[in-house]
Amino acid sequence: MFSYYGDHGLGDSARVPIGHSKAIQEVDGVQAYIQDEGPISMIEIGEFMIADNFVYGYTSDSNENYDGNYFVYNLVNNSVKTFKQKSEYVNFLTTNKLDKNPNYKDFNYYYGEYWNGWRFWLLP
């Protein structure tokens, strides 16, 4: 059955809303990604942090559309910027007053944080 939080009929996909009508999605329990119909197509992500109007962290090794080991997704303007060098990435985080040493988490952590508790009882 399809719902706002994922396709739980077969358990093959899930999503975590992140604000600005955007979501991080996951397929088959292993492939987390950000996808939209705007200027970005799909970026596979590893561990990440959600803060203010940004999602940032490590890209997945299986990315085909983006170069770089780090990414920053700006939710306000729906843009993704990737970085090959850690120094460039840290400089961007500093400029935008984001945590330079966050405790990155994976998709399952954020899924549990968002849908756990009373929301769990709303799952089909």
Side-chain angles (χ1 to χ4, degrees):
M1 172 184 216
F2 176 78
S3 65
Y4 180 72
Y5 20 82
D7 180 358
H8 292 281
L10 299 174
D12 62 351
S13 70
R15 66 192 310 266
V16 175
I18 53 177
H20 296 274
S21 300
K22 309 286 189 268
I24 296 175
Q25 301 178 40
E26 185 181 64
V27 175
D28 297 332
V30 295
Q31 183 183 25
Y33 63 93
I34 299 168
Q35 182 172 9
D36 198 36
E37 302 194 12
I40 64 171
S41 56
M42 181 173 109
I43 181 168
E44 293 181 37
I45 59 177
E47 292 186 330
F48 56 93
M49 175 77 174
I50 302 171
D52 301 322
N53 292 316
F54 295 94
V55 177
Y56 58 99
Y58 299 102
T59 59
S60 172
D61 292 336
S62 57
N63 258 323
E64 295 178 3
N65 300 325
Y66 293 90
D67 290 331
N69 299 320
Y70 310 95
F71 78 94
V72 176
Y73 179 32
N74 185 328
L75 298 172
V76 174
N77 62 22
N78 193 35
S79 65
V80 172
K81 184 169 179 67
T82 57
F83 303 89
K84 291 183 180 181
Q85 302 296 321
K86 185 172 185 173
S87 59
E88 295 172 333
Y89 173 67
V90 170
N91 186 39
F92 184 90
L93 297 181
T94 303
T95 302
N96 288 282
K97 299 179 181 161
L98 298 170
D99 188 356
K100 295 179 290 192
N101 297 309
N103 188 9
Y104 295 111
K105 304 287 186 183
D106 64 2
F107 179 86
N108 291 330
Y109 171 83
Y110 287 107
Y111 187 84
E113 286 289 305
Y114 190 83
W115 295 115
N116 199 14
W118 68 270
R119 288 183 181 101
F120 173 78
W121 299 106
L122 299 177
L123 291 174

